[in-house]
Amino acid sequence: MNNCISWVGSAQTFIDEPSVVQYKHINLGRLGGNSNTVKNKNEDGCLIWWSLEQNWEFIMLLDAHSSDDSAKLITHYIMEARFDFLRILELPVQQSFQLIKEKLLHIFNSNTFLTDCKNIKGESSCLIVLRKEKYIWWFSVGDCLLYYFHPDLIRLGQFQLNQRQFFEWIGQMNTFNQEVPCYSTGVRELRKGENHIFLCTDGLIECPHAPFAHPERIFNLFSESAQQDTEIILSMLETLQSKEVKDSTTIISWKVLNSKNVSMPSDELN
């Protein structure tokens, strides 16, 4: 499959090596932490699919612990079903979101997946984001972060779509083994103009001295700088390294221009 990026931390750790790569309009930043903090492995992972022709991105971000076995396993199952996902993504947007959710739940609730999860070491937070046309949908287990920056929302103090949830994972300890699985999903309409979607693992906000703990700081970096987005992300990762962050950090960032009309209060329509 073209337009597909798949990575787990054991394949390339990026320890002491801040890295940013641009795939078309999508930026992927990675830092495996610092070796002088006794960090010797990276347990993050990601999957990036996109279609410029069909106007969508499908992104998965993973933050595992104990090992990256769970990141590998989740990625394997999603990749095995990629043609099913691609067929769903060809459908009208209102069908795509519902069927994507049904497909994910079918995978995560399947007996084969649950059995495989019991036989691995560790577990992972998992954030899946689908942007299609002027809408964004997400599925979140655990504590990866999904920020969404647009001036209309920034003025009202809104920066984030999902909420970090602790004690939720997929893997050896698995929310889908519970009587009622715990996860979050949501759908939002993108605002008119430029929309900035920004995903990250928690290494970004748990850095010593918390340079990026508040999302407004991240928004300001992009809105006030004349640098390219790749340069800004690299600078962020270099800041983490200089402050001797222990945890791995993975960032996925891209911008979408929406020219369609959007929802507004009725008293502002005229």
Side-chain angles (χ1 to χ4, degrees):
M1 171 185 172
N2 297 326
N3 305 344
C4 173
I5 306 301
S6 177
W7 164 80
V8 291
S10 58
Q12 188 173 1
T13 66
F14 297 98
I15 293 171
D16 299 327
E17 296 180 11
S19 167
V20 181
V21 182
Q22 186 172 29
Y23 301 101
K24 292 296 183 181
H25 60 302
I26 303 171
N27 300 303
L28 171 60
R30 289 167 287 190
L31 173 65
N34 284 273
S35 58
N36 60 3
T37 62
V38 199
K39 178 74 175 181
N40 58 12
K41 58 183 178 178
N42 184 338
E43 296 163 342
D44 288 355
C46 69
L47 186 66
I48 301 173
W49 300 344
W50 71 92
S51 172
L52 297 177
E53 296 79 11
Q54 296 176 8
N55 196 14
W56 58 257
E57 300 90 16
F58 180 92
I59 310 290
M60 181 168 69
L61 181 61
L62 300 157
D63 184 358
H65 63 262
S66 295
S67 80
D68 69 352
D69 288 357
S70 53
K72 290 178 181 176
L73 184 66
I74 296 167
T75 300
H76 169 75
Y77 269 83
I78 299 300
M79 286 296 293
E80 283 288 297
R82 63 190 181 279
F83 293 116
D84 291 338
F85 283 112
L86 291 175
R87 281 192 290 268
I88 291 171
L89 291 169
E90 291 176 350
L91 298 172
V93 62
Q94 62 268 33
Q95 294 176 260
S96 293
F97 289 160
Q98 181 59 38
L99 292 176
I100 284 286
K101 179 181 177 181
E102 292 176 6
K103 183 63 182 178
L104 288 171
L105 292 179
H106 175 76
I107 291 171
F108 292 145
N109 282 305
S110 69
N111 289 332
T112 53
F113 180 75
L114 293 175
T115 298
D116 285 345
C117 284
K118 292 177 182 178
N119 295 320
I120 61 172
K121 180 181 179 182
E123 43 275 327
S124 182
S125 295
C126 177
L127 172 61
I128 297 173
V129 175
L130 168 60
R131 196 284 308 176
K132 185 173 172 66
E133 298 176 12
K134 68 167 186 171
Y135 299 96
I136 184 169
W137 173 92
W138 71 91
F139 173 95
S140 181
V141 174
D143 59 1
C144 293
L145 297 111
L146 171 57
Y147 296 131
Y148 167 41
F149 302 130
H150 186 281
D152 287 357
L153 302 175
I154 301 302
R155 284 194 294 270
L156 298 172
Q158 182 177 337
F159 301 89
Q160 191 166 338
L161 289 180
N162 73 336
Q163 180 174 330
R164 298 177 73 198
Q165 300 293 339
F166 303 102
F167 308 108
E168 278 184 9
W169 305 279
I170 300 175
Q172 186 178 7
M173 294 297 294
N174 195 337
T175 186
F176 290 97
N177 276 327
Q178 299 188 69
E179 287 183 300
V180 180
C182 297
Y183 57 86
S184 306
T185 64
V187 184
R188 290 293 180 273
E189 180 187 38
L190 300 182
R191 304 304 297 163
K192 197 167 187 176
E194 185 178 80
N195 298 266
H196 184 185
I197 302 165
F198 186 99
L199 289 66
C200 64
T201 55
D202 60 6
L204 182 68
I205 64 170
E206 294 185 350
C207 176
H209 311 295
F212 307 113
H214 196 286
E216 188 170 9
R217 165 67 173 155
I218 301 171
F219 168 75
N220 289 337
L221 283 174
F222 286 91
S223 63
E224 296 173 359
S225 174
Q227 292 181 305
Q228 298 293 318
D229 287 1
T230 51
E231 296 173 316
I232 295 169
I233 295 169
L234 182 60
S235 176
M236 295 172 72
L237 296 175
E238 290 172 342
T239 298
L240 298 182
Q241 186 179 27
S242 70
K243 295 184 179 299
E244 299 189 345
V245 65
K246 293 182 180 180
D247 200 5
S248 304
T249 299
T250 302
I251 294 170
I252 304 173
S253 170
W254 73 101
K255 293 176 178 175
V256 177
L257 185 63
N258 174 35
S259 59
K260 295 183 178 181
N261 291 330
V262 298
S263 301
M264 295 292 290
S266 57
D267 58 1
E268 295 186 19
L269 293 178
N270 297 320

